[in-house]
Amino acid sequence: GENVEQHPSTLSVQEGDSAVIKCTYSDSASNYFPWYKQELGKRPQLIIDIRSNVGEKKDQRIAVTLNKTAKHFSLHITETQPEDSAVYFCAARGTGTASKLTFGTGTRLQVTL
Amino acid sequence: NAGVMQNPRHLVRRRGQEARLRCSPMKGHSHVYWYRQLPEEGLKFMVYLQKENIIDESGMPKERFSAEFPKEGPSILRIQQVVRGDSAAYFCASSPSGGIANEQFFGPGTRLTVL
């Protein structure tokens, strides 16, 4: 089955700096890669996603890149703000009837003033 | 347009009791997924259901756990004879279909504590 690895597990940046979180996946057939943000005690919320026919996608301060050959994808947050502090999860989904998401282990991002 | 709803939000059970967790998908969504999140860990897939059908239960323990999504009413995740290791947050998500194009929307979760 699919295996998703995520690094780093914790990340501390100063406000205004950029943050990068990286994930690798094992199943070359996976074709959908969402990123979720989860604040303490809250539900995971989708912040951006990318499909395998696209190499990069950007939404304001957030961007995601995908390298299918290397089977890795990354989340980039620019001009970080304190409200970006949360746990971020990457995920991958395969094809066919396997619609489940396989999640990474999460990255706790702390944006300090 | 209400989002995914789950109840109860918090559930306390003693070892050996049964836990029933409910999930009402978003309006128009016919696909439901259950995930379990242990403290300080990621989300682990448990089961994927459509109305009256279990599509994929590969992540659900074979014993004590069962899930259903009846024609009418919410999806139910049932845990019999709970043990302390079942303590976790259980999230359900829904999507309009199981296709790649569809985002999974998560509910607020049920936090199960087994005493």
Side-chain angles (χ1 to χ4, degrees), chain A residues 23-93:
Chain A
C23 288
T24 60
Y25 61 99
S26 61
D27 186 355
S28 57
S30 290
N31 52 16
Y32 174 66
F33 307 92
W35 285 88
Y36 286 85
K37 176 183 180 182
Q38 187 178 30
E39 297 176 358
L40 188 62
K42 301 286 182 65
R43 75 186 75 192
Q45 292 198 303
L46 181 76
I47 55 171
I48 196 167
D49 57 14
I50 192 167
R51 288 165 176 77
S52 58
N53 58 348
V54 175
E56 185 173 355
K57 183 177 178 181
K58 189 173 182 180
D59 183 4
Q60 299 183 338
R61 297 186 297 109
I62 295 173
V64 58
T65 58
L66 172 65
N67 183 327
K68 283 195 67 180
T69 303
K71 290 190 285 188
H72 68 69
F73 55 114
S74 301
L75 177 71
H76 304 251
I77 306 174
T78 58
E79 300 171 30
T80 53
Q81 301 167 3
E83 50 266 38
D84 294 330
S85 296
V87 179
Y88 291 80
F89 293 98
C90 62
R93 186 167 72 190

Side-chain angles (χ1 to χ4, degrees), chain B residues 5-16:
Chain B
M5 298 176 69
Q6 289 186 249
N7 68 80
R9 295 291 306 277
H10 300 273
L11 182 61
V12 179
R13 284 288 178 266
R14 296 191 181 279
R15 280 178 296 170

